[in-house]
């Protein structure tokens, strides 16, 4: 009966603490709110979410989709993020184990029959009661770390998809620029051959010959530079998809590529739910807030329960006799008295860590809104700029044809033809770059809105 009373008291001690927790409760920080994005479509249905649009549906190039899928399988940054996620999962398991009793066993056999070192076979249990919530706070902290690691994995995944797509657009842009340059070189080389023959025949001055010769050399010099950039991009994409640097397969040109032109922009507050980087920083703040409770609990006494049961005997042969059986249950308390403010400073440190995480969360949220605003404006402005550049290319082509005809009919010097040709070349390169930037801006908008990268 006495043992039953002791066990009942210990049970009440074990259950009662779960109503006692020191430490602050989590309060979500207030964020500056706006009803709409500054450059967003005010007429869109804000109840729709960009998360419903999967990344694989926004591209119409099977080669690009294949590269991205290969990157998701082989990319080392993603593998590192998954490894960190598993580390966080294991840490959570360790934290959960601290909530429960610890059971051990021990045994020894001694040939010397002495009271000081008897033979024994014992099982013992020790349990620190979570009276102040130290282990519960710690458990919640590791849980939030785990969730933050999963959101960080999504950030890496988002970066992989967008980086491969953007690098691919840049690669196709350089391919197009190389094609434009080679065509320009061929045109200038033909013009050089004609003018050189006319110079030899005495129909034109040497000035015309050296001017076109200079333009031929300029086009020739651009080709190696473009080839270097193409190789560098191919190597970058190879690293992104986790393979040895090698030539990258090509699919559609940038002019043939199509990307969804509109995404539901919703409202700024939706970024808290859509963006994995925003969610990750908030979860890290929650984890830091829980660790304040852990630090505060260390300032209070700890309560322990211990139990032991088994056999012990001076003589090995009598080890398992009834008389050798022993058991005991006990409880203890331990706590700090004076340690020169160490525990208080530990709480202060954790408060400041939580404050840092809070500020980082707020900054990340504002940065996310800024990125969406920039992306929305880029999409609109690149569209307008592309239309103007396209008209410029058409006009420059016509100007070059007319100037060429005027020169061969003797109305103008070759300097006018060179100027028209240079303007056409630069306009074509600018249009190629703008086509790439248009595609890139749509991917960046999709990423900024927190699109469905899962």
């Amino acid at each position: 009966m006495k043992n039953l009373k002791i066990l009942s008291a210990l049970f009440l001690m074990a259950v009662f603490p779960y109503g006692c927790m020191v430490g602050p409760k989590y309060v979500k920080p207030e964020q500056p709110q706006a009803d709409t994005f500054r450059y967003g479509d005010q007429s869109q249905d804000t109840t729709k979410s960009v998360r419903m649009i999967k990344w694989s549906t926004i591209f119409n190039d099977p080669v690009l989709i294949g590269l991205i899928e290969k990157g998701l399988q082989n990319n080392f940054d993603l593998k590192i993020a998954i490894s960190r996620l598993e580390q966080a999962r294991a840490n959570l398991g360790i934290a959960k184990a601290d909530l429960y009793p610890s059971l051990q066993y021990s045994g020894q056999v001694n040939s010397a029959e002495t009271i000081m070192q008897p033979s024994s076979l014992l099982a013992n249990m020790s349990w620190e009661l979570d009276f102040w919530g130290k282990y519960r706070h710690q458990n919640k902290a590791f849980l939030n770390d785990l969730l933050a690691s999963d959101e960080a994995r999504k950030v890496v995944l988002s970066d992989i998809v967008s980086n491969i797509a953007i690098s691919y657009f840049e690669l196709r842009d350089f391919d197009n620029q190389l094609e434009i340059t080679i065509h320009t070189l061929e045109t200038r080389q033909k013009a050089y051959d004609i003018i050189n023959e006319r110079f030899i025949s005495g129909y034109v001055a040497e000035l015309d010959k050296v001017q076109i010769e200079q333009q031929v050399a300029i086009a020739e010099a651009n080709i190696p530079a473009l080839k270097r950039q193409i190789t560098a991009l191919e190597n970058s994409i190879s690293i992104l998809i986790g393979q040895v640097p090698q030539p990258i397969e090509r699919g559609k040109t940038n002019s043939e590529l199509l990307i969804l032109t509109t995404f539901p922009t919703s409202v700024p507050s939706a970024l808290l739910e859509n963006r994995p980087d925003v969610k990750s920083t908030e979860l890290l703040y929650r984890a830091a807030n829980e660790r304040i409770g852990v630090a505060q609990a260390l300032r209070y006494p700890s309560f322990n329960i211990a139990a032991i049961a088994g056999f012990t005997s001076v003589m090995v042969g009598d080890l398992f006799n009834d008389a050798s059986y022993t058991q005991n249950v006990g409880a203890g308390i331990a706590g700090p008295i004076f340690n020169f403010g160490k525990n208080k400073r530990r709480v202060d440190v954790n408060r400041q860590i939580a404050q840092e995480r809070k500020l980082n969360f707020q900054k990340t949220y504002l940065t996310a809104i800024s990125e969406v605003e920039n992306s929305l404006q880029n999409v609109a402005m690149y569209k307008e700029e592309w239309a103007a550049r396209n008209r410029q290319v058409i006009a420059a082509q016509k100007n070059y044809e007319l100037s060429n005809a005027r020169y061969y009919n003797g109305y103008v010097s070759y300097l006018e033809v060179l100027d028209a040709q240079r303007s056409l070349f630069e306009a074509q390169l600018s249009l190629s770059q703008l086509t790439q930037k248009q595609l890139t801006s749509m991917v960046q908008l999709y990423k900024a809105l927190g699109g469905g990268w899962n």
Side-chain angles (χ1 to χ4, degrees), residues 167 227 276 349 379 401 420 423 430:
S167 296
K227 288 182 176 179
V349 168
V379 168
E401 292 171 358
S423 296
S430 294

Side-chain angles (χ1 to χ4, degrees), residues 243-306:
Q243 70 178 20
V244 175
Q246 58 187 269
I248 299 299
E249 183 183 359
R250 307 303 204 267
K252 297 182 178 180
T253 65
N254 283 348
S255 297
E256 295 169 333
L257 278 164
L258 296 174
I259 291 186
L260 291 178
T261 56
T262 57
F263 298 120
T265 54
S266 189
V267 293
S269 59
L271 292 179
L272 295 173
E273 299 299 327
N274 291 354
R275 294 264 304 224
D277 56 340
V278 176
K279 293 169 71 175
S280 177
T281 52
E282 182 186 8
L283 288 164
L284 290 174
Y285 170 45
R286 294 177 72 105
N289 192 71
E290 294 293 342
R291 289 189 170 97
I292 298 174
V294 175
Q296 287 183 334
L298 291 172
R299 302 183 67 185
Y300 296 92
S302 60
F303 300 90
N304 299 274
I305 298 175

Side-chain angles (χ1 to χ4, degrees), residues 434-454:
L434 276 173
T435 303
Q436 173 261 315
K437 289 178 180 178
Q438 268 194 308
L439 296 170
T440 295
S441 67
M442 292 307 303
V443 173
Q444 289 173 337
L445 175 60
Y446 181 67
K447 178 184 176 183
L449 289 169
W453 302 106
N454 291 335

Side-chain angles (χ1 to χ4, degrees), residues 39-203:
Y39 296 104
D41 184 353
Q42 311 299 327
S43 63
Q44 286 193 7
D45 182 2
T46 58
T47 62
K48 293 182 179 179
S49 173
V50 73
R51 288 184 299 171
M52 303 305 293
I53 303 174
K54 295 182 179 180
W55 70 263
S56 56
T57 64
I58 69 175
F59 305 115
N60 71 326
D61 186 348
V63 172
L64 174 56
I65 292 174
L67 289 172
I68 293 173
E69 289 175 343
K70 191 172 183 180
L72 296 180
Q73 293 175 359
N74 302 327
N75 184 270
F76 286 99
D77 288 332
L78 184 57
K79 290 180 179 179
I80 291 170
I82 292 172
S83 177
R84 288 173 180 164
L85 178 63
E86 293 306 317
Q87 291 175 37
R89 199 186 308 278
N91 283 330
L92 176 60
I94 294 171
K96 283 183 176 180
D98 288 334
L99 290 168
Y100 303 101
S102 174
L103 302 173
Q104 299 90 28
Y105 64 88
S106 64
Q108 66 177 11
V109 176
N110 293 297
S111 59
E113 297 177 354
T114 64
I115 298 176
M116 297 298 295
Q117 291 184 326
S119 299
S120 63
L121 181 63
L122 300 169
N124 58 77
M125 181 272 290
S126 59
W127 189 9
E128 181 181 342
L129 303 180
D130 194 24
F131 200 88
W132 310 109
K134 177 175 66 176
Y135 294 123
R136 280 168 287 164
H137 279 302
Q138 185 170 277
N139 190 55
K140 289 180 180 180
F142 279 116
L143 175 59
N144 283 296
D145 283 340
L146 172 62
L147 296 174
S149 295
D150 189 44
E151 294 301 326
R153 176 191 62 84
K154 294 176 185 177
V155 172
V156 174
L157 190 150
S158 171
D159 289 340
I160 291 170
V161 176
S162 59
N163 288 343
I164 291 175
I166 292 171
S167 296
Y168 183 79
F169 299 152
E170 292 175 349
L171 179 63
R172 300 304 281 134
D173 172 40
F174 284 127
D175 288 341
N176 190 49
Q177 289 189 49
L178 181 60
E179 185 178 335
I180 291 169
T181 304
I182 290 173
H183 176 72
T184 300
L185 175 60
E186 291 172 351
T187 301
R188 291 179 180 179
Q189 187 63 53
K190 289 178 182 178
Y192 170 78
D193 293 340
I194 294 171
I195 292 173
N196 188 47
E197 289 180 5
R198 297 185 70 185
F199 166 71
I200 294 172
S201 301
Y203 292 109

